[in-house]
Amino acid sequence: MQADYSQHLMARDMQQAVRQIKQGPDEYCFHISQLWGIIVDNSVLVTCSTMSDDNTLGNNRIEMKRVPPKEKSDESHELRILVEYGGNTLWNIPLQECLTWFAFASHFSEFWPYNVQFYRHRKQLSSSDWPDIVELAQRGADSVLLEVTTKSLPSAPVRGVLSPIGKAKASAKRTDAGGTSTAGKHEDPEEPATAIPSTSKTDELSEESNSFSVFAWTQPRPGISRTAAAKAELGRIDEFIQRKTRRQDQRGYNECPEATPDEIQAELEHLAFKKKIIKLDEGSSLRAALRDRIDTFNSVVIIFTYFLPPRFDGLSTGKVWGLLKLLLDRPWPEEDSEEQSLDWTRKQRAANSTLSLARKTLRSIIRQILLFQQVMSHAPRTKDTGIEMPTQLPQAYIYFVLAFVQASADIRLYQSHIETFSRLLQEGMRTMLRSFSLSSLITYSSVPPNEVISLISLKLLNDLTGIYPNISSVYSQWIQTLVSSCNGAWG
């Protein structure tokens, strides 16, 4: 009845034999087990239930258990690494595909943009642990079982703390918006705490740098250096911006003066040590404005370094820092008195709103970039090899530049450009990471969805009545009651 007429009323079920012999609570009756699910290409299983696991499967839950390996033979045995996720998924990956940390981690690129961490015996693993894991697996005495989990993204730089640029030794000291230096208090707060880094630009890309950047890691054509290839790509980008973008974008780009990151850093560092700012309260509008500028600068350095070394000299690079300088030089809060006035001018309010928005959006983006650079820091690379770069990443750089063209002019266009930049960045990073993976994770599944649904169905066919009699006992007792009634009537 329930299978053929699923919409029948409760009153009909309450006429079951179990209710006639008064077994179980008054509202209880028998229900047949039903299951629906959607399996897509034996890789994704979608199902749901309004009942809890305890009510549907009881003590018959499906459990994944490790069993001793079969007797190995020289011909058929293949060493593998087992990886568990969420207590209900197990991947079985050949050891030959996991000989390096990067090769192993690349199998899990489908988790992107999540931050995956690996554990063994509750200890988090890193690249330095991987040789020991490989050695353990090669012994073949037992399977190596690891656990993968997802964690939060890397943190953005500390709020309001000026970070050093790249590998500049002169600025290895950090300075915050209150003039505090990690190397101790400076004697003269009117002067920068450290020597100004050299503003000389760099014309060459390191051929073997382990620090990822889009244009430095792109595979150049034979006979062309990475530096020449990067400058050629920047030339094409410069031409595109000047000829194929909106007129207001072209005008803002062409009229912008050039600058360097060291000039901006020196100016911010000098401001952080001004007496007037140092003696202000933490909550003052002027201190908050300086923190916003420092955070924005730190974020732009991280994003720019994702594409090129921060001091690389090429078409558009000076424009990026010049556009950023225009944004940071916008009107500050009033400084006429120690107690900041709440009556800011319209321009000051607009500047504060723009900087706050830029700081928020950029700090969100750089957390994903920091994670990507962590992953790529283990990627194999030499001066003779490179990476086929996804087209989305050079395109993302264009919108990064355009966003700052409009940051000081049209906040709506800034938002539009920065959203496009973020989307292209995500697509490019995802495409690149998946290019390192040999196969989809589903090909390594120990129990694919078709088998899982079969196991669930088998469990649901069992008679689950808990402490109450099963359906056979109920109907046996009901028949005996009927027989007794009939004998009594005929007696």
Side-chain angles (χ1 to χ4, degrees), residues 391-407:
T391 57
Q392 296 98 325
L393 295 181
Q395 293 172 6
Y397 178 80
I398 294 174
Y399 282 94
F400 171 63
V401 176
L402 294 179
F404 279 91
V405 168
Q406 297 300 335

Side-chain angles (χ1 to χ4, degrees), residues 267-284:
E267 183 177 339
L268 291 173
E269 195 172 41
H270 179 74
L271 288 169
F273 281 96
K274 289 184 68 174
K275 287 180 179 177
K276 177 166 279 190
I277 294 181
I278 287 177
K279 62 184 181 181
L280 291 175
D281 294 335
E282 277 292 327
S284 70

Side-chain angles (χ1 to χ4, degrees), residues 427-466:
E427 292 175 0
M429 291 191 291
R430 183 182 298 109
T431 300
M432 180 182 294
L433 289 175
R434 292 191 176 183
S435 70
F436 293 107
S437 180
L438 298 175
S439 304
S440 170
L441 263 179
I442 189 62
T443 61
Y444 303 102
S445 294
S446 294
V447 185
N450 277 335
E451 296 182 22
V452 172
I453 206 74
S454 299
L455 291 172
I456 294 176
S457 299
L458 179 63
K459 293 294 184 181
L460 290 177
L461 289 175
N462 293 333
D463 198 4
L464 305 176
T465 58

Side-chain angles (χ1 to χ4, degrees), residues 90-219:
L90 186 69
W91 293 291
N92 195 339
I93 306 175
L95 179 61
Q96 286 301 313
E97 298 180 15
C98 305
L99 295 181
T100 67
W101 173 257
F102 184 77
F104 167 71
S106 295
H107 287 82
F108 299 87
S109 59
E110 293 172 53
F111 276 82
W112 185 265
Y114 296 103
N115 181 14
V116 294
Q117 301 288 336
F118 300 96
Y119 293 82
R120 183 172 186 267
H121 297 160
R122 298 185 179 180
K123 176 194 173 186
Q124 183 175 334
L125 300 177
S126 66
S127 58
S128 61
D129 300 310
W130 197 246
D132 295 333
I133 297 295
V134 172
E135 182 181 355
L136 181 64
Q138 287 174 335
R139 296 174 189 169
D142 194 9
S143 298
V144 176
L145 178 63
L146 308 181
E147 181 185 2
V148 59
T149 62
T150 56
K151 299 292 185 180
S152 59
L153 296 175
S155 300
V158 179
R159 180 88 164 87
V161 176
L162 192 60
S163 301
I165 302 174
K167 298 180 180 179
K169 295 181 180 179
S171 60
K173 203 181 301 182
R174 293 190 175 203
T175 305
D176 65 20
T180 303
S181 170
T182 57
K185 188 175 180 180
H186 196 270
E187 294 181 359
D188 185 357
E190 288 292 337
E191 297 298 328
T194 60
I196 306 298
S198 171
T199 58
S200 61
K201 299 180 180 179
T202 301
D203 291 322
E204 297 295 327
L205 293 176
S206 172
E207 296 291 335
E208 297 183 2
S209 173
N210 289 326
S211 180
F212 174 84
S213 63
V214 171
F215 297 115
W217 280 47
T218 301
Q219 176 64 60

